[in-house]
Amino acid sequence: MNADWTLLGPVLVQALGETLWAVSITMVLGGIFGFVIGTMLYTTRRGNILANAAVYNVLNVLINIVRPIPFIVFIAFIQPVTLGLIGTSIGVPAIIVPMTIAASFAIGRIVEQNLVTIDPGVIEAARAMGASPLRIISTILVPEALGPLILGYTFIFVGVVDMSALAGLIGGGGLGNFAILYGYQRFNYGVTLVAVVVIIVIVQLGQFLGNWLARKALRR
Amino acid sequence: MSVMVEFEAVSKSFTVGKRQVDAVEQVSLSIEKGEIFGIIGYSGAGKSTLVRLINGLERATSGRILVDGEDITTLPESRLRHVRGGIGMIFQQFNLLRSRTVAGNVEYPLRIAKWPKEKRKARVAELLDFVGLGDRARSYPEQLSGGQKQRVGIARALATEPKILLADESTSALDPETTQEVLRLLQRVNRELGITVVVITHEMDVIRSIADRVAVLEGGRLIELGTVFDVFSNPQAAATKSFVSTVLRNQPTADDLVRLRRAHPGRVVTAEILDAGRLGSVLSDAVGKYGVRFEIIFGGISALQNRSYGSITLELVGDEGSVDALVKDLQAVAAITEVPA
């Protein structure tokens, strides 16, 4: 069955807009919160600059609780929070809440893992020069791990695009919803294929940009 | 001379799992202003911990540490950060920031110390000239050799015009030639800039090359302390003797003695040489006076802090009474130890 693209075209554009909107906001907010979580996790480790067993253990357990929950279940699980935060639990803004929370914890873990690879000697050198913990975070941790941090962030971006496909479940629209509603449920494989291609292009562009930035940061 | 760093009965212990490890135990010593002070010990002797107590990277469990008269053991971390600006530190693995250029690395402590930009630029250029890397300002650390990296480390450590430079195994990752180059630079830092240098090492050669005084550390305790000449020429503790033997090979080892004994059945004695001895003239008289022949079978003389020091092992051949008389004469001019038959 041939699809009528004069009708479907604008719907696809709108779906693309919804996906990009949800993904962008999630990446920005998740990036900020994830960075804070990851940095706290790293710096509160035993022997590190802000060593604090209580904070470390709480964060660590929290991440391990949130991360294994399948996203489709997580949307439902977090629904009261979503409702409380933005006053609704349907639509694009409502999908951004679970997406941001899930992305924050995932990014937090990625940030921690990349910071761990920094040579502790460099941090000790900065301490010996009289640098404060905040200064060490901003002028040592981030610049020294920038390349891997960008690559990790890019890796999460793909996961976030994946999450956004479930937005349709709560009326959030997006490309995933478009593929299911206009392609799969109407037995129109061509439409599904178009949606898939658009998603692939988004992911490829994101990955390309991430690789390029990481290469610049790593000077190789 | 006045004191730059004073340790008063300082101890530092860590808890590793359920075990308590005493890294530094009851150490008292003072480091004079303007000297190069060496601290030597095997790995695990506590020397790295000891040096980190000076700039508060490790906090003492008990005792007092005075740095230029200020008790740093009671200072809160925020005040300690200020003190650290006056103490430079270099490391075995250099610990340069990979994300910054050579100039960026040297500038980093100046940013922390809030120097204005113009002064920072001038200071960085001056420091890179001092360490001979004026042309590598824009390079990144990975483009430098080990020796060059350590010179950047030294420039960075000197940036804020510290009174003390702590060198933690600063040449242990370098080849012998580069080691000498870095040691000469540390000596210049000490002589030209008047900075007190504390050198931590497990290599006695480093101590011999540049240190004025040396402390020997074993199991967290200070087991020997003195001028490099005294410690080398007259080591007391077993660990010290073993360190000294790694650089001065003029004392025969037990294996050497077995071999020497096999080849030389006569009476064998070892004479210590200090400064201008008269061993040679006594020996040259021996032939005519007692009819005793001698053979030089082991030993050597080296220079240490511009003084001669060494030991010579001799075989003396002749009748018993004559050899006895000669040994007596030798004892008048040098310390003599008999090698048992």
Side-chain angles (χ1 to χ4, degrees):
Chain A
M1 190 168 95
N2 277 329
D4 183 355
W5 283 104
T6 52
L7 282 175
L8 272 182
V11 181
L12 174 67
V13 170
Q14 198 203 337
L16 174 65
E18 284 158 352
T19 291
L20 290 180
W21 168 241
V23 168
S24 310
I25 298 292
T26 300
M27 288 307 287
V28 171
L29 294 178
I32 295 167
F33 296 140
F35 176 75
V36 172
I37 292 170
T39 316
M40 279 175 72
L41 207 52
Y42 171 74
T43 52
T44 56
R45 268 171 177 256
R46 192 174 59 204
N48 216 323
I49 48 175
L50 295 171
N52 185 322
V55 174
Y56 178 81
N57 288 329
V58 166
L59 276 176
N60 197 35
V61 168
L62 202 59
I63 292 182
N64 288 344
I65 291 170
V66 171
R67 295 212 52 217
I69 304 175
F71 188 62
I72 194 163
V73 179
F74 189 67
I75 296 173
F77 171 64
I78 215 77
Q79 194 244 6
V81 177
T82 308
L83 199 58
L85 270 178
I86 59 168
T88 175
S89 61
I90 53 166
V92 178
I95 193 71
I96 288 175
V97 175
M99 277 172 70
T100 297
I101 295 172
S104 298
F105 284 98
I107 291 173
R109 194 56 101 187
I110 293 273
V111 167
E112 182 209 15
Q113 281 167 3
N114 283 313
L115 294 183
V116 168
T117 64
I118 295 175
D119 176 8
V122 175
I123 295 164
E124 185 178 44
R127 284 186 63 212
M129 289 183 262
S132 65
L134 262 183
R135 184 154 205 133
I136 290 174
I137 292 168
S138 61
T139 62
I140 306 278
L141 297 187
V142 175
E144 290 290 300
L146 192 59
L149 283 176
I150 294 171
L151 289 176
Y153 187 70
T154 309
F155 176 78
I156 295 297
F157 166 76
V158 179
V160 169
V161 173
D162 186 16
M163 287 182 208
S164 75
L166 289 176
L169 191 76
I170 56 168
L175 289 167
N177 186 50
F178 176 82
I180 299 299
L181 214 60
Y182 298 94
Y184 186 69
Q185 290 177 359
R186 293 189 184 176
F187 306 103
N188 197 330
Y189 188 66
V191 171
T192 306
L193 211 58
V194 168
V196 167
V197 168
V198 173
I199 289 172
I200 289 174
V201 168
I202 292 173
V203 168
Q204 289 291 345
L205 285 176
Q207 188 70 50
F208 180 80
L209 181 68
N211 287 351
W212 182 73
L213 285 171
R215 218 169 25 245
K216 290 207 85 166
L218 290 166
R219 297 190 304 278
R220 60 171 93 101
Chain B
M1 260 198 190
S2 53
V3 174
M4 181 59 95
V5 180
E6 177 100 52
F7 281 81
E8 292 175 356
V10 174
S11 296
K12 168 71 182 179
S13 52
F14 299 97
T15 352
V16 181
K18 280 178 186 155
R19 226 158 45 88
Q20 184 179 315
V21 180
D22 300 312
V24 172
E25 277 185 87
Q26 293 292 320
V27 168
S28 296
L29 60 85
S30 42
I31 298 170
E32 307 284 345
K33 271 187 184 151
E35 75 173 331
I36 299 186
F37 189 86
I39 299 173
I40 192 163
Y42 293 110
S43 54
K47 51 193 194 301
S48 279
T49 307
L50 191 72
V51 76
R52 280 164 176 72
L53 288 166
I54 298 174
N55 60 359
L57 287 180
E58 300 285 359
R59 308 300 295 259
T61 313
S62 65
R64 284 207 318 162
I65 300 157
L66 303 169
V67 176
D68 206 9
E70 187 177 18
D71 184 357
I72 63 149
T73 36
T74 53
L75 288 183
E77 181 74 16
S78 54
R79 280 280 301 132
L80 210 46
R81 283 202 280 274
H82 182 72
V83 172
R84 287 180 188 139
I87 306 174
M89 188 167 187
I90 57 173
F91 307 85
Q92 179 172 6
Q93 296 302 333
F94 325 120
N95 296 349
L96 300 179
L97 306 172
R98 290 190 305 169
S99 56
R100 287 170 203 261
T101 60
V102 165
N105 267 278
V106 178
E107 192 187 7
Y108 185 76
L110 297 171
R111 285 174 179 270
I112 294 174
K114 299 193 173 75
W115 284 40
K117 194 177 174 194
E118 290 308 308
K119 278 184 76 186
R120 288 206 305 262
K121 267 185 81 174
R123 180 70 178 146
V124 169
E126 180 188 1
L127 286 159
L128 289 180
D129 274 344
F130 180 78
V131 300
L133 288 172
D135 53 338
R136 303 308 299 267
R138 290 164 172 277
S139 302
Y140 280 91
E142 73 238 26
Q143 298 165 317
L144 304 179
S145 69
Q148 290 173 326
K149 283 182 195 168
Q150 195 57 290
R151 284 192 273 154
V152 175
I154 292 172
R156 185 176 69 175
L158 297 179
T160 51
E161 299 169 336
K163 298 168 287 190
I164 308 171
L165 177 64
L166 307 176
D168 182 19
E169 297 279 8
S170 55
T171 57
S172 300
L174 304 174
D175 61 59
E177 204 171 306
T178 318
T179 293
Q180 287 307 317
E181 177 190 307
V182 168
L183 291 180
R184 274 196 298 274
L185 181 56
L186 288 178
Q187 210 154 33
R188 277 180 61 210
V189 167
N190 176 250
R191 289 182 186 162
E192 292 175 25
L193 309 176
I195 293 172
T196 306
V197 180
V198 182
V199 176
I200 300 292
T201 186
H202 66 274
E203 295 168 321
M204 205 59 178
D205 209 31
V206 170
I207 301 288
R208 180 171 73 155
S209 301
I210 61 166
D212 299 309
R213 290 196 304 146
V214 59
V216 184
L217 226 58
E218 191 180 34
R221 290 181 176 275
L222 178 66
I223 56 167
E224 204 151 342
L225 173 71
T227 67
V228 169
F229 188 84
D230 288 345
V231 170
F232 269 75
S233 58
N234 192 17
Q236 301 298 314
T240 316
K241 284 179 182 158
S242 130
F243 274 123
V244 169
S245 73
T246 59
V247 280
L248 299 180
R249 297 203 175 78
N250 39 35
Q251 290 266 16
T253 62
D255 286 348
D256 290 328
L257 287 176
V258 170
R259 184 179 54 79
L260 289 173
R261 260 282 157 244
R262 224 176 280 143
H264 303 280
R267 185 144 166 204
V268 175
V269 296
T270 296
E272 298 295 329
I273 312 282
L274 281 184
D275 297 319
R278 289 184 46 249
L279 193 72
S281 34
V282 172
L283 283 172
S284 56
D285 290 345
V287 186
K289 204 168 160 190
Y290 304 111
V292 174
R293 289 182 300 111
F294 67 89
E295 192 64 60
I296 298 170
I297 59 174
F298 203 93
I301 300 171
S302 20
L304 202 65
Q305 292 189 323
N306 300 317
R307 293 173 70 185
S308 297
Y309 156 77
S311 97
I312 301 287
T313 301
L314 305 159
E315 182 196 26
L316 308 172
V317 185
D319 67 84
E320 206 171 312
S322 308
V323 171
D324 274 347
L326 172 58
V327 170
K328 208 159 255 158
D329 283 2
L330 289 175
Q331 276 165 342
V333 295
I336 302 291
T337 31
E338 294 268 351
V339 176

